[in-house]
Amino acid sequence: MFALFKTYGIPSISSLLVKSNQLAGCPLVSSKRYADTGALLLEAVLQPPGSDRSVQAIARINYLHDRHRKRGMISDEDMLFTLSLFALEPMRWVKKMEWRELDDLEICAVGTLWKYLGDALKVPYGLLPSGEKGWKNAREWVEELDVWSRDYEEKFMVPAKSNHILAEATLWIILCKLPKFVRGCGRNIFAAGMEKRLREAMLIPPPPFIYTRSLEYLRYLRRHYLRHFCLPRFIPLTRLPKLSPTNPNRMNLPRARMHPWYIRPTLFNRWGLQALLARWTGEALPGDDERFMPEGFLTRELGPPGLIGKGGAEQEIELVRVRSLAKGGRECPFLAGDDE
């Protein structure tokens, strides 16, 4: 989700989000917005391409975005930049944090997935140098996108009050569950992990030097620990929403950030370690308040409160388009651009 946070450093993006009052207003509304965004992204990206759940999430995202794009409130450049961060930031973080970089095959896999998702989300590739003629393979697409994204970031990631408002709102959600006496330390750790340009664009003061150096040292130790002392995972780590056992049409999120949106009130969710910490700090638990919809969500319900359940006709059109584009997820999105 750091890729999403990084988009808040672009004033044209952050100003629209601040005006919507969905991320920097009432904490209840903000936490729902974060939960809804996370649910849509998880469903669209991690479900198999062309699957019903992925296609439905993409159709819902397009409906929510199209309202602003038709009014000129979301530019093509901002759409492409946002996509570039989702495609590129995981690779950058792997290079910075993990014991090895992605190899060529893995980079091609990432590029293939995000090129298809960009097509499905109607992201304009004409802004890229090879946007008209196409690319031979995913590696070429990733490299060209990386150059364009860095150039766009250098030009348009500049300080703005709207950037700062969203940064503070996000930090509050991240740190709200910590005791008050350690939140200042948490802010410094978070700031130490930010790139200088992003931190300055969000008007966040630089952390004390000790935090930056300590974080670099911890990254070094983590890389070597993973490389020499950890076995590969025996069970894949998954954060996908799960079908509700009480209503198979609805889905539950596996964990909450601030408020327990869409979390089942299971024994573990109410009495596990995280739940005990929530009880200690007086936070709501799954099942305590029906407003948090412990029964789960429907994809068409995700989004601002005024749009819950709306957009059915528009989404049906998008479902047909995305399904035909995906072709069941069996066709490579670079096939048409391959001259060999």
Side-chain angles (χ1 to χ4, degrees):
M1 296 298 285
F2 184 79
L4 183 63
F5 175 75
K6 197 171 179 178
T7 64
Y8 303 160
I10 305 295
S12 56
I13 296 175
S14 63
S15 60
L16 174 61
L17 293 172
V18 169
K19 288 178 183 177
S20 73
N21 208 33
Q22 293 290 307
L23 290 176
C26 168
L28 198 66
V29 175
S30 299
S31 65
K32 184 181 186 301
R33 172 62 183 262
Y34 276 101
D36 288 0
T37 301
L40 285 171
L41 289 173
L42 288 170
E43 287 290 281
V45 178
L46 297 185
Q47 292 292 348
S51 65
D52 284 343
R53 287 173 60 174
S54 175
V55 169
Q56 288 176 17
I58 291 171
R60 184 62 177 175
I61 293 172
N62 285 343
Y63 166 70
L64 296 174
H65 282 170
D66 283 349
R67 298 166 52 253
H68 299 295
R69 296 183 75 178
K70 290 175 181 177
R71 289 180 285 178
M73 300 173 71
I74 298 179
S75 69
D76 290 346
E77 290 82 359
D78 285 344
M79 286 291 292
L80 182 58
F81 180 69
T82 301
L83 178 86
S84 75
L85 293 183
F86 280 110
L88 299 169
E89 281 299 310
M91 291 186 280
R92 294 168 180 168
W93 275 66
V94 167
K95 183 177 181 179
K96 181 167 58 175
M97 299 288 293
E98 298 298 330
W99 63 274
R100 69 169 180 84
E101 300 180 29
L102 298 184
D103 59 29
D104 286 344
L105 182 62
E106 290 165 329
I107 292 173
C108 284
V110 172
T112 301
L113 172 65
W114 281 104
K115 170 60 167 63
Y116 153 71
L117 288 171
D119 289 331
L121 293 167
K122 298 186 285 191
V123 174
Y125 289 133
L127 298 168
L128 298 176
S130 302
E132 297 299 325
K133 67 177 182 179
W135 301 266
K136 292 183 178 180
N137 52 59
R139 182 62 185 261
E140 184 179 291
W141 179 82
V142 167
E143 291 173 349
E144 193 168 294
L145 185 67
D146 184 45
V147 172
W148 181 91
S149 179
R150 292 182 188 276
D151 181 64
Y152 186 80
E153 183 178 313
E154 184 176 350
K155 292 178 181 176
F156 297 102
M157 186 174 282
V158 295
K161 183 178 179 180
S162 57
N163 299 351
H164 181 70
I165 291 173
L166 290 187
E168 289 295 326
T170 304
L171 277 170
W172 187 82
I173 286 179
I174 293 172
L175 302 175
C176 67
K177 293 189 177 182
L178 296 177
K180 291 183 179 180
F181 66 89
V182 297
R183 289 180 186 175
C185 179
R187 288 179 64 91
N188 283 326
I189 293 173
F190 191 86
M194 297 172 66
E195 300 162 3
K196 181 181 178 181
R197 181 182 290 118
L198 177 62
R199 190 179 67 245
E200 291 177 348
M202 292 183 165
L203 305 176
I204 295 176
F209 177 75
I210 186 64
Y211 286 92
T212 304
R213 179 55 60 89
S214 297
L215 193 59
E216 291 174 355
Y217 186 61
L218 288 173
R219 287 172 182 165
Y220 173 83
L221 290 178
R222 182 181 183 274
R223 284 196 297 267
H224 283 266
Y225 173 74
L226 291 175
R227 176 67 180 87
H228 298 290
F229 297 101
C230 286
L231 293 172
R233 290 185 184 274
F234 295 105
I235 301 175
L237 178 65
T238 178
R239 295 176 180 174
L240 281 172
K242 298 180 180 179
L243 292 176
S244 171
T246 56
N247 186 339
N249 293 321
R250 292 185 173 271
M251 288 168 279
N252 295 109
L253 290 179
R255 63 177 185 175
R257 287 289 181 185
M258 182 170 60
H259 295 123
W261 288 100
Y262 317 123
I263 309 292
R264 284 183 61 215
T266 62
L267 181 65
F268 178 80
N269 288 337
R270 289 187 59 82
W271 292 100
L273 178 60
Q274 186 174 352
L276 292 176
L277 291 173
R279 289 177 184 274
W280 180 50
T281 55
E283 298 172 22
L285 294 170
D288 282 353
D289 193 330
E290 291 299 317
R291 288 181 300 174
F292 298 124
M293 302 176 67
E295 71 277 10
F297 66 85
L298 297 173
T299 302
R300 65 174 179 269
E301 294 175 345
L302 298 176
L307 297 178
I308 292 177
K310 294 184 179 180
E314 295 91 335
Q315 288 172 222
E316 284 299 323
I317 296 173
E318 281 298 300
L319 287 172
V320 174
R321 185 188 69 84
V322 177
R323 285 196 178 106
S324 64
L325 178 68
K327 294 184 178 179
R330 292 187 293 271
E331 184 172 304
C332 174
F334 296 97
L335 187 61
D338 192 349
D339 298 326
E340 299 178 0

